[in-house]
Every structure is written in structure tokens, then in C-alpha cells.
Amino acid sequence: MSMLNRRRFLAGTGAAVATSGAVAALGTPAAAAQPAAAAQGASRGARITTVTPADPRYVDMVSGSNARLVGTPEAIRVPANTQEVVEVVREAVRDRKQIVIRSGGHCFEDFTFNNEAEILIDLRLINQVGYDDRRKAFYVDPGATLLDIYETLHSGWGVTLPGGGCHSVGAGGHFAGGGYGVLSREHGIVSDHIYAVEVVTVDKAGKVRAVIASRDPKDPNRDLLWAFAGGGGGNFGVVTRYWLRTRGATGAPENLLPRPPSTVYYVQVGWPWEKVTKAAFKRLLQKYTEWSRKHSGADSPYTALGHWLFIQHQSSGPILLVGQMDATVPDARKLLDDFIDYLSAAMGTEPVWSDIQHLPFMKATTFGTTAGEPLNNPNLRTMHKSAYMKSDFPDRQVEVLYRQLTRPDYTNQYTYVVLHSAGGQINELSATETASSHRDSHLVIFYECYWHKAEDDEKNLGWMRDTYREVYADTGGVPVPNRVTDGCYINYPDKDLSDPELNKSSVPWHDLYYKGNYRRLQQVKAKWDPTDFFRHRHSVRLPGKR
Ligand SMILES: Cc1cc2nc3c(=O)[nH]c(=O)nc-3n(C[C@H](O)[C@H](O)[C@H](O)COP(=O)(O)OP(=O)(O)OC[C@H]3O[C@@H](n4cnc5c(N)ncnc54)[C@H](O)[C@@H]3O)c2cc1C
């Protein structure tokens, strides 16, 4: 972890910087007085860093955490602050270049690393985290990564965000798309806490400027904030700063974001897959769903438990429960043990091993977000899909999952169907409060596959596609919003959703991600990116465009 990442700034106490005309044209008077650049990194010389194919760094910078996706931009621009982003975008507009945006580089699809983009804007140098006293909100820059964010918020103010479980995911894409983690049942998703956002936009005349949009009811730009709170990255402009404050929170900084417990029980429990019969597998899914539904209210004591149930391919080892329980709630350990016993009863077998550690919050977070090869090896090839669930698993889905997860002709140590219990605080907001519309599911399913070699692409992509298509065969091969399923998660983008061979439903990819919020997102697009300058395979389209 670099010193640059670790450094913490208090906005308002730093030296003032001169602002370019573009940045001074911010959306609110307060914003004009305090551009994000005041606390961001200085440029590393007269010029913005530019990496071209001849540069030794190029090969490193044209891919992210999915080695299957490699870009071919003619240049990578590495701005260090908002003004530099404005300059880079202005040059791209002038030269009619197609740009793409990278923050943490963890996108599962080719929205950033592809063969069409000419300029890749790499935001990793814009990575500060701190408290902005003027806005009474914490700021997080797009290039900041999750573990750095958690560490800084925790050591500085004793607060945190209910974000994802991988240390190196970037704020840029993660916050815009939602952000689920072990604290989400208790505190919602990260995008629910976004108070304001600074975005570099391009208007109809090609004029580039940084604007600030907040959720204040009087803010004329609040539609842009609405769209960035769950609408996903790469749609409307370049985010150069997020500000976060929990809805309704007031007072000292320590009260403005969730306060994590002092200690948690960090849980890893494994059940012997080979002893889980088909009937027991069915019972497990039934009982797990029942539990998730029963405890989906924000008043359940189990909002204090965040977890993932990893049902990996049977050849790879046990069925794994990984998660954490707030150790400070009454009867915490008993609640946890009861849940583990409940799962054992459902599977009809006892755990083969169980590791429950009582740890300080940040020790557990550091351990959990850095554990295992898939979270650490940027050279893996991956494919991911997702599905929200609203009711029990229909028999046909259980049949397919069991068959695919026990198939003897397929092996991969990193193929999982992950059940992530949702609900709790996540479902306290209405479906239209932010662009994130999935507010009545009790469960999100993540289909995940990681592997090492290109020669295994076909096998793994094939397994993933067959599984998903067959699980959702009754609804055209995708989890359409209906009584049982509820669409897909934009931070788990999946290009197959727009392939007519793989999505035979009448529900287009955008309605799977956004449901009824898509029309409003299109209106925001028309207002803030009327030339469709910011685009990728699944970016929000202008009204009337497909
Ligand atoms: C190993 C791994 C673990 C994960 N774990 C979780 C998890 O626990 N919970 C969860 O919810 N998700 C998880 N994710 C998914 C993650 O939330 C998304 O991949 C997220 O979009 C990544 O953001 P990024 O900035 O790292 O990626 P990037 O690839 O940089 O960006 C993702 C998208 O956002 C756009 N974008 C990036 N920065 C900006 C910006 N500044 N302005 C506008 N658009 C921008 C990009 O163009 C791209 O379309 C995980 C992903 C990986 C690879």
C-alpha cells in the first residue's frame, strides 16, 4: 500500500490552489470555493502523465483484474486531480477520441479494457480519503481502494462504509454501482450513503466542466447524484470525488457514517460437500431462503451478521460459510452458533472444520478482504453473473444447480455459486429513492468463476453460460423481474444479457439492471451527456436509442 494512498487530508485546512476556469464553474457556491482539487494530488510536472504503447508501463496498464480483458488504447492518461481530468477530457473532445474510465480496474466486463477505446483515463492517482468540514461529509476519490478507505475512515474517525469484500476494488466503479458487503444488512449499500459527487461532464456544445451534484432537495443537479447512486460507472461523466454522509445523520464526523463494532466474530465454516445428498442440497436452498426471508427486516437481530455462502463445485472441497457477526450485540455468539447449527441441520451433516475468531473490526476486515487467490491475483481470468431472488428456488433451478455443481466432467477450484443474504437496511429505501432499484429481494446470487489459463476459457465460459441459461430457462435464460427473481446487479455486469442467443426473454439488459429506473436514467443521460460521449457496451442510452 503506497504512502500516497494512505495519506489523509482535511479539506479546508490545506493550502488553497488556483482553479482553472472550468473547475471554478462548479455547481454550487460552496463547491466553487472548495474544488476537490484542493485536496487531491499535485501534477507530477508540467504535463499530465501519458503512457503510450512504446512505454514500458503500457502492458501493465491496459488490463485490470480480469486478464481476459486487454485494452488497446493509443494513450493512457493519468491525471492527478480534477483540473487535469477536465484537461484530458477536453483534449479528447477536441480530438474526437473515444475515452474509457478506469478507477480500481475491477470491472468484470470490457467496459474499460476493449479494442474501441482510444484514450484510457486512469484515475489511480486521484485517491484521497478524508473529511470535508464544509460539506459535513467524508470525501473519497475514485482511485481510492476499499481497504485503504476502510482503514482511513476507521483510524481517523471510527466510521466505515458497508462496501465490498475485496481490498483492491476502486471507489470509482464500486460506489456508483451500489456496493454490497458484510455490513450491508445493517447499513445498506455504499451508494445509499453518497451525499454528493463531483463529475467532469461534456455538454451539447462539447464544453467540459466539473459539476457537483448533491442529494440536497434544493440542489438543481440532484438528478445527477440520483443517477450515480446505483446507476453504475461510465455513463454520465468522470467522477473525481464522492462525498459520503448517511441519510439523516447530523453532528460530529463520528456520527455521519456507520460506526463499526469494536470486535466481530470472523467466521469460516466448511461442510463436506460429498455428504450433501441431492435431497439435502434442495433442503439447504429451501432453508437458506427461508432464513433470509425471515431475517430480511431491518429489525432482525441477524442484521448484525453479514456473510456469503460459497457453494463451490463439488470437486473443489467443502461448502463454505464466510462472514462476520457484530460481537457487541446481545447473544452474538449464540445467534451465530444457532445459524451454523441451522445450516448443518439443513445439509444433514456437521461441519468438517470451523474457524470462528473473535477479532478487532479492522483486523477482521483486513484479513477478510485479502484472503485467497481470487482477491489477490490480478492475472486470473474471470467471468461473473448475478441474480436477485425474491422467493424460494423453484425445483428446476435446484435441479440444475445441483447437476452443474456436481458434474464430474468439469472441475475448477474457483467456481462458485455464492448466496449473499440481502435485505435488512438495504430494503429500507424505496426502489426509486436512488438508481439502485433492487429493494425487495432477500438474496443476491453471485455466479463466479476464476481460472489461470486462456486455454481454459471455453470450458469455464461454457460452464457459466450453461448453468445460468438452464437455471433461468423458464424465463428466457435470465432472471427477469417477476415473483421469483428480480434482475441483475450492475456491478456484476454481464455482456451475455444483451446477446439475443443468451437472453431470450422480452426483458432487455437495461431493465434487468435497473428495472423501472431506466427511463429516468435515460433522462439524466440526455441532460448530462447529450452527445453520448461517455459510453460502453452497457452504458445508459440516450432516450429513443438502443
Ligand atoms: C475480486 C473482486 C471482488 C469483488 N467484490 C465485490 C463485493 O464484495 N461487493 C460488490 O458489491 N462488488 C464486488 N465486486 C464488483 C465491483 O463492485 C465492481 O467490479 C466495481 O464496478 C469495480 O469498480 P472499480 O473502480 O474497481 O472498477 P473499474 O473497472 O475501474 O470501473 C468499473 C466501471 O465503472 C466505471 N468507472 C470507474 N471509475 C469511474 C469514475 N471515476 N467515473 C465514472 N465511471 C467510472 C468504469 O468505466 C467501468 O465501467 C468485486 C469485483 C472483483 C473483481
Side-chain angles (χ1 to χ4, degrees):
M1 206 175 304
S2 71
M3 286 309 290
L4 194 64
N5 276 345
R6 283 178 175 278
R7 230 178 288 146
R8 176 159 58 84
F9 289 82
L10 282 172
T13 59
V17 295
T19 59
S20 73
V23 175
L26 297 171
T28 65
Q34 185 58 43
Q40 290 169 338
S43 180
R44 293 136 325 289
R47 294 213 182 136
I48 297 167
T49 299
T50 302
V51 175
T52 57
D55 189 301
R57 290 167 291 181
Y58 183 85
V59 284
D60 242 321
M61 297 175 78
V62 289
S63 71
S65 71
N66 184 352
R68 234 170 16 96
L69 309 172
V70 180
T72 53
E74 60 188 45
I76 302 161
R77 309 297 309 274
V78 194
N81 55 46
T82 303
Q83 286 106 314
E84 292 190 355
V85 174
V86 169
E87 279 172 49
V88 166
V89 174
R90 190 176 285 148
E91 284 170 24
V93 170
R94 183 198 61 204
D95 300 341
R96 297 176 188 276
K97 299 289 185 190
Q98 183 172 341
I99 65 135
V100 281
I101 312 162
R102 176 224 163 101
S103 287
H106 279 55
C107 191
F108 292 132
E109 278 298 356
D110 63 355
F111 299 175
T112 305
F113 303 111
N114 58 49
N115 293 328
E116 276 131 47
E118 294 160 301
I119 305 292
L120 168 59
I121 304 181
D122 186 323
L123 296 165
R124 281 180 287 181
L125 292 184
I126 305 182
N127 58 20
Q128 304 305 327
V129 179
Y131 180 67
D132 182 342
D133 197 40
R134 292 171 194 240
R135 290 187 183 279
K136 304 287 180 221
F138 291 90
Y139 60 84
V140 176
D141 290 346
T145 49
L146 290 182
L147 186 53
D148 283 332
I149 297 167
Y150 299 150
E151 277 182 342
T152 304
L153 293 177
H154 187 258
S155 54
W157 298 272
V159 297
T160 194
L161 285 168
C166 170
H167 65 106
S168 49
V169 162
H174 187 65
F175 288 15
Y180 289 84
V182 280
L183 294 177
S184 290
R185 282 166 55 77
E186 194 166 5
H187 298 292
I189 53 179
V190 176
S191 56
D192 298 345
H193 299 265
I194 301 176
Y195 162 70
V197 65
E198 180 182 74
V199 190
V200 173
T201 59
V202 179
D203 73 11
K204 205 176 181 86
K207 189 170 163 213
V208 180
R209 64 187 182 126
V211 296
I212 291 181
S214 78
R215 62 168 189 249
D216 283 346
K218 289 192 191 134
D219 188 331
N221 300 340
R222 67 185 178 284
D223 59 337
L224 188 57
L225 187 281
W226 176 88
F228 265 107
N235 289 307
F236 312 105
V238 185
V239 175
T240 45
R241 174 154 289 187
Y242 292 101
W243 284 268
L244 297 117
R245 188 206 303 153
T246 300
R247 285 154 195 271
T250 55
E254 293 74 19
N255 299 325
L256 300 181
L257 281 180
R259 275 198 240 187
S262 166
T263 59
V264 299
Y265 290 111
Y266 186 81
V267 190
Q268 297 175 94
V269 180
W271 286 266
W273 220 138
E274 68 283 0
K275 291 198 179 156
V276 178
T277 61
K278 189 171 174 185
F281 180 77
K282 180 174 181 179
R283 199 167 54 234
L284 170 64
L285 295 191
Q286 265 170 358
K287 290 287 176 188
Y288 186 83
T289 306
E290 219 172 282
W291 184 92
S292 296
R293 221 178 9 234
K294 180 171 173 198
H295 295 290
S296 64
D299 54 353
S300 163
Y302 278 110
T303 54
L305 171 66
H307 67 272
W308 292 275
L309 188 66
F310 286 80
I311 310 181
Q312 46 191 342
H313 188 269
Q314 196 179 41
S315 62
S316 313
I319 293 176
L320 279 178
L321 174 72
V322 177
Q324 71 181 40
M325 174 89 195
D326 180 343
T328 65
V329 300
D331 297 325
R333 183 60 203 246
K334 179 174 183 321
L335 285 166
L336 181 59
D337 289 342
D338 287 352
F339 178 56
I340 293 167
D341 289 347
Y342 178 86
L343 292 178
S344 298
M347 283 183 251
T349 183
E350 291 301 309
V352 265
W353 55 266
S354 171
D355 180 16
I356 301 178
Q357 300 180 55
H358 189 189
L359 295 175
F361 172 76
M362 266 319 295
K363 300 263 192 242
T365 303
T366 304
F367 182 66
T369 59
T370 55
E373 189 180 11
L375 297 189
N376 289 290
N377 183 352
N379 306 307
L380 292 176
R381 309 169 78 79
T382 78
M383 185 181 201
H384 288 69
K385 291 174 180 282
S386 68
Y388 288 91
M389 286 295 285
K390 289 206 296 206
S391 84
D392 295 335
F393 286 84
D395 284 349
R396 153 185 195 93
Q397 295 191 5
V398 179
E399 283 281 330
V400 175
L401 285 170
Y402 183 79
R403 174 161 34 87
Q404 287 294 93
L405 287 164
T406 57
R407 241 172 73 178
D409 62 330
Y410 172 82
T411 53
N412 178 351
Q413 60 175 326
Y414 298 137
T415 291
Y416 321 103
V417 173
V418 186
L419 308 185
H420 184 51
S421 185
Q425 195 60 36
I426 300 165
N427 291 356
E428 288 298 293
L429 291 191
S430 78
T432 54
E433 187 86 26
T434 70
S436 177
S437 63
H438 303 281
R439 301 295 183 172
D440 55 1
S441 305
H442 56 267
L443 182 61
V444 198
I445 307 174
F446 299 126
Y447 294 81
E448 310 197 339
C449 209
Y450 301 82
W451 63 99
H452 293 91
K453 296 186 184 138
E455 66 218 45
D456 291 331
D457 282 4
E458 200 181 318
K459 170 182 109 174
N460 289 298
L461 298 177
W463 183 92
M464 186 65 104
R465 289 189 171 127
D466 288 350
T467 304
Y468 201 73
R469 186 178 46 220
E470 288 186 44
V471 167
Y472 304 109
D474 291 341
T475 50
V478 293
V480 302
N482 64 15
R483 210 178 39 76
V484 179
T485 49
D486 200 31
C488 308
Y489 175 35
I490 184 60
N491 262 345
Y492 269 54
D494 172 10
K495 72 174 185 183
D496 294 350
L497 299 177
S498 54
D499 180 339
E501 284 304 309
L502 297 169
N503 177 2
K504 294 190 166 157
S505 78
S506 57
V507 182
W509 58 269
H510 41 77
D511 289 1
L512 291 166
Y513 293 135
Y514 303 116
K515 301 198 292 175
N517 285 340
Y518 187 63
R519 311 306 146 216
R520 186 166 167 196
L521 283 166
Q522 288 188 290
Q523 297 305 323
V524 175
K525 178 82 173 173
K527 179 170 167 194
W528 291 101
D529 184 24
T531 66
D532 198 20
F533 183 75
F534 300 97
R535 60 185 185 275
H536 55 67
R537 185 188 290 276
H538 285 175
S539 55
V540 171
R541 307 294 197 245
L542 287 165
K545 302 276 183 201
R546 292 162 61 88

